[in-house]
Amino acid sequence: LLWGAYKNILSGVTTVVHHNNYYWPFRLNYPVGVLKDFRWIHSMELDRQLRKKIRQRDTVPCIIHLAEGTDSLAHGELKKLDELGGLNKHTIIVHGVGLTTEDLDLLVEKGGGLVWCPSSNLFLLGATAPVEKLLGKTPIALGTDSLLTGSFSLFEEMRFAQQLKDLKAEELLKMVTTVPADLFHLHEGRIRIGARANFLAFRSAASNAFESFLGLDASRVELLMRNGSIIYGAERYQHLCRKQFSILRTSGKKKFVVGNLPELAQKIQRTLRTWSPEQFGITFS
């Protein structure tokens, strides 16, 4: 769980939606925010409490793996969920690879949202959700899925998504900021009074900063702030960090990050001897 937090920090992320239980480590000085108020259904076939969870009538986001396939079973899942009373404006489906044309109309009609994980979908299934048919009609957030199947970073995922569907940089920025903020009822994703002070800063020499944003990686992040405090950034800002931090290098550039990342890496290496932080482009000073 802790390595997952750092994987996201190096992706420029301050808040994560974890599609599973809200584990106790998330409460203990965890370096990124984790969505707490939600209901989750693993999937139509594998969740033993499916009907019970569907019967709950609340206004929190309800997240479900759905249409994660290309067979007849996947094609029929959205309709089945609707027949059970589980499809509404609070429903957020993850993947949606097997959505049919009729499903798309139904999703738009009911007001549900989609979390799109293109690189993982292509790796596992050779296909992905028809997001081009939903743009402007249904809220679409971009996700990375597991490191086992998806991109290493959200930066990489955005570039993959752009190349796959020829999306505009501005549209992709919304998919990782304002759209998920609205979908998951979060007071962030935009800079304004009343929002959490969570933001990413980077340098851009280009006339179009959106295009520069799509070219980012961990080495080009100037600083990453969460709740008004810096959690990752260039070495020259380390004196502003109010917590314990570690020094690391990525693509030859010296950075700092909150917490004791070298110690965590050593613990992982003792268990997984083939694992090393160098696989992720990280070395420690």
Side-chain angles (χ1 to χ4, degrees):
L1 292 176
L2 192 53
W3 176 252
Y6 282 107
K7 170 245 182 178
N8 280 288
I9 288 173
L10 294 169
S11 300
V13 172
T14 61
T15 307
V16 176
V17 177
H18 181 68
H19 191 202
N20 215 318
N21 292 315
Y22 187 85
Y23 297 121
W24 65 264
F26 297 152
R27 305 174 188 271
L28 303 177
N29 202 28
Y30 199 64
V32 295
V34 181
L35 180 69
K36 185 177 181 181
D37 298 321
F38 67 102
R39 183 158 36 97
W40 72 281
I41 298 170
H42 183 277
S43 59
M44 295 292 288
E45 297 296 319
L46 299 180
D47 201 309
R48 296 180 179 179
Q49 295 183 311
L50 173 67
R51 294 177 184 272
K52 177 182 177 181
K53 291 179 179 178
I54 285 176
R55 285 195 299 269
Q56 291 179 242
R57 291 290 179 256
D58 51 39
T59 59
V60 300
C62 180
I63 311 166
I64 177 172
H65 286 125
L66 191 130
E68 189 180 359
T70 57
D71 57 8
S72 59
L73 185 66
H75 294 325
E77 285 191 332
L78 190 75
K79 184 178 179 182
K80 182 179 177 181
L81 180 67
D82 184 48
E83 290 171 349
L84 292 172
L87 183 59
N88 54 55
K89 64 181 180 180
H90 304 299
T91 307
I92 302 171
I93 68 174
V94 183
H95 300 305
V97 178
L99 293 176
T100 65
T101 301
E102 292 76 15
D103 288 338
L104 301 180
D105 294 337
L106 184 59
L107 185 62
V108 172
E109 177 190 340
K110 296 289 183 172
L114 171 70
V115 175
W116 179 40
C117 306
S119 65
S120 179
N121 295 158
L122 266 291
F123 177 77
L124 289 172
L125 303 166
T128 191
V131 294
E132 66 279 2
K133 298 179 181 179
L134 290 171
L135 284 173
K137 301 176 183 178
T138 295
I140 302 172
L142 186 70
T144 56
D145 207 8
S146 166
L147 267 175
L148 292 170
T149 57
S151 298
F152 163 66
S153 74
L154 191 60
F155 296 135
E156 289 182 9
E157 193 73 25
M158 284 189 290
R159 290 190 282 272
F160 185 90
Q162 184 189 44
Q163 294 170 4
L164 186 67
K165 297 290 185 177
D166 194 28
L167 298 172
K168 294 181 180 179
E170 294 93 329
E171 194 68 57
L172 285 161
L173 179 61
K174 292 177 184 177
M175 287 183 179
V176 297
T177 54
T178 55
V179 172
D182 291 339
L183 275 177
F184 298 108
H185 307 174
L186 299 169
H187 299 293
E188 52 196 88
R190 47 180 64 82
I191 299 175
R192 69 180 185 189
I193 295 173
R196 291 191 183 94
N198 293 355
F199 62 87
L200 167 76
F202 62 95
R203 295 182 183 273
S204 174
S207 57
N208 187 335
F210 291 111
E211 294 299 335
S212 293
F213 176 72
L214 281 184
L216 287 179
D217 58 29
S219 70
R220 296 184 59 199
V221 173
E222 279 292 296
L223 59 87
L224 184 67
M225 297 196 74
R226 177 182 170 231
N227 295 337
S229 297
I230 300 176
I231 60 173
Y232 176 75
E235 181 186 17
R236 58 182 163 274
Y237 299 114
Q238 68 186 49
H239 67 284
L240 299 174
C241 187
R242 300 195 292 264
K243 298 180 179 179
Q244 177 196 22
F245 60 83
S246 310
I247 300 297
L248 59 92
R249 288 184 183 274
T250 175
S251 297
K253 294 185 179 179
K254 206 170 184 180
K255 303 287 182 177
F256 74 94
V257 64
V258 294
N260 193 335
L261 188 53
E263 181 181 75
L264 174 64
Q266 289 172 4
K267 288 180 179 179
I268 296 173
Q269 282 182 299
R270 284 197 292 268
T271 304
L272 303 173
R273 298 186 184 280
T274 59
W275 184 95
S276 77
E278 285 81 5
Q279 293 171 320
F280 301 91
I282 300 168
T283 57
F284 300 112
S285 298

